[in-house]
């Protein structure tokens, strides 16, 4: 039976921290509001094993549909296949470079390229530090092309207690980009009741000190 849910393409590239992509798939599966189409690069399968200590096939089972990264004839390679857009989580600098320069060497890069040309939302959770000039220029290029560069920068206003809390914050920010409702972190609505008093305003003279 064909799903009537909107589709979201999820790419997991070979960058460090595949936990972000896994957490996104787990959140989307739990929400059940979109149909997920997953593309996992060969490098990502290795990092899933090494860093997440997970079986790549078990991770793939979290998605509704899985596409072979070598299959450039897959549905997500065509703009006529309607989707909400695509999130690459995490996005390696290699994948960033491919997207920035329109080099569709595999299905993951091709699906991202399609997302841009169809003017759909493309979110790249870029994972590298420190950033070199080439990385920064590629980030500028994809941003100018319409993508959203969303590095996994944790927000501490939600008072995270665990690493999973930090990951959930980034995943929630990704979902926000697609208008997918979630409750993965506490949104800021002002200082909590137990917060210390705000410091007094400084005078113009004090500001110069």
């Amino acid at each position: 039976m064909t799903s009537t849910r909107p589709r979201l393409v999820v790419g997991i590239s070979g960058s460090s921290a595949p936990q972000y992509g896994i957490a996104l798939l787990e959140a989307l599966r739990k929400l059940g509001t979109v149909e997920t189409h997953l593309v996992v690069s060969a490098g990502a399968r290795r990092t899933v094993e090494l860093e997440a200590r997970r079986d790549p096939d078990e991770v793939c089972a979290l998605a509704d549909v899985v596409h072979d990264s070598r299959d450039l004839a897959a549905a997500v390679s065509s703009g006529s296949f309607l989707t909400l857009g695509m999130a690459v989580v995490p996005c390696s600098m290699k994948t960033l470079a491919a997207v920035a320069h329109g080099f569709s060497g595999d299905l993951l890069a091709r699906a991202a390229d399609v997302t841009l040309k169809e003017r759909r939302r493309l979110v790249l959770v870029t994972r590298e530090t420190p950033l070199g000039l080439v990385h920064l220029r590629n980030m500028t290029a994809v941003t100018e092309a319409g993508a959203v560069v969303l590095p996994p920068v944790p927000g501490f206003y939600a008072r995270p207690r665990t690493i999973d809390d930090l990951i959930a914050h980034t995943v929630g920010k990704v979902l926000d980009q697609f208008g997918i409702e979630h409750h993965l972190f506490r949104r800021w609505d002002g200082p909590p009741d137990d917060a210390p008093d705000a410091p007094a305003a400084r005078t113009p003279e004090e500001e110069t000190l």
Side-chain angles (χ1 to χ4, degrees):
M1 183 177 180
T2 303
S3 173
T4 58
R5 294 175 294 165
R7 305 169 179 133
L8 180 68
V9 183
V10 176
I12 302 180
S13 75
S15 164
S16 181
Q19 289 88 342
Y20 286 104
I22 296 170
L24 175 61
L25 289 171
E26 289 174 337
L28 289 169
R29 186 177 183 85
K30 184 175 181 180
L31 290 170
T33 52
V34 301
E35 179 181 286
T36 51
H37 286 253
L38 177 64
V39 183
V40 180
S41 73
R45 293 184 69 89
R46 187 63 174 141
T47 57
V48 165
E49 292 173 336
L50 293 175
E51 296 189 15
R53 303 286 180 169
R54 299 278 293 269
D55 182 336
D57 291 333
E58 291 180 359
V59 171
C60 288
L62 294 170
D64 293 302
V65 182
V66 180
H67 303 279
D68 191 319
S69 64
R70 299 165 297 181
D71 184 11
L72 292 176
V76 295
S77 70
S78 173
S80 64
F81 186 75
L82 298 179
T83 71
L84 291 174
M86 180 178 186
V88 183
V89 189
C91 179
S92 67
M93 294 300 100
K94 176 183 178 181
T95 297
L96 171 68
V99 177
H101 298 282
F103 181 71
S104 301
D106 61 11
L107 181 61
L108 200 161
R110 170 59 185 169
D113 187 54
V114 165
T115 303
L116 286 179
K117 80 179 183 68
E118 296 296 330
R119 307 299 191 269
R120 297 169 188 158
R121 182 58 56 94
L122 175 64
V123 177
L124 305 177
V125 179
T126 50
R127 171 63 180 77
E128 184 62 277
T129 190
L131 294 169
L133 182 58
V134 170
H135 305 149
L136 293 168
R137 284 177 172 164
N138 286 338
M139 288 181 182
T140 298
V142 296
T143 301
E144 290 174 340
V148 174
V149 177
L150 198 158
V153 179
F156 288 90
Y157 55 82
R159 296 189 176 186
R161 296 177 181 272
T162 66
I163 292 176
D164 286 343
D165 290 341
L166 296 175
I167 293 174
H169 181 266
T170 293
V171 171
K173 297 290 281 186
V174 172
L175 295 180
D176 285 350
Q177 291 295 314
F178 296 97
I180 298 174
E181 187 175 352
H182 66 87
H183 300 284
L184 291 175
F185 61 85
R186 184 178 69 85
R187 298 185 184 278
W188 182 253
D189 57 1
D193 294 336
D194 59 346
D197 293 337
R202 304 179 71 186
T203 66
E205 292 76 13
E206 289 174 326
E207 290 291 348
T208 63
L209 298 178

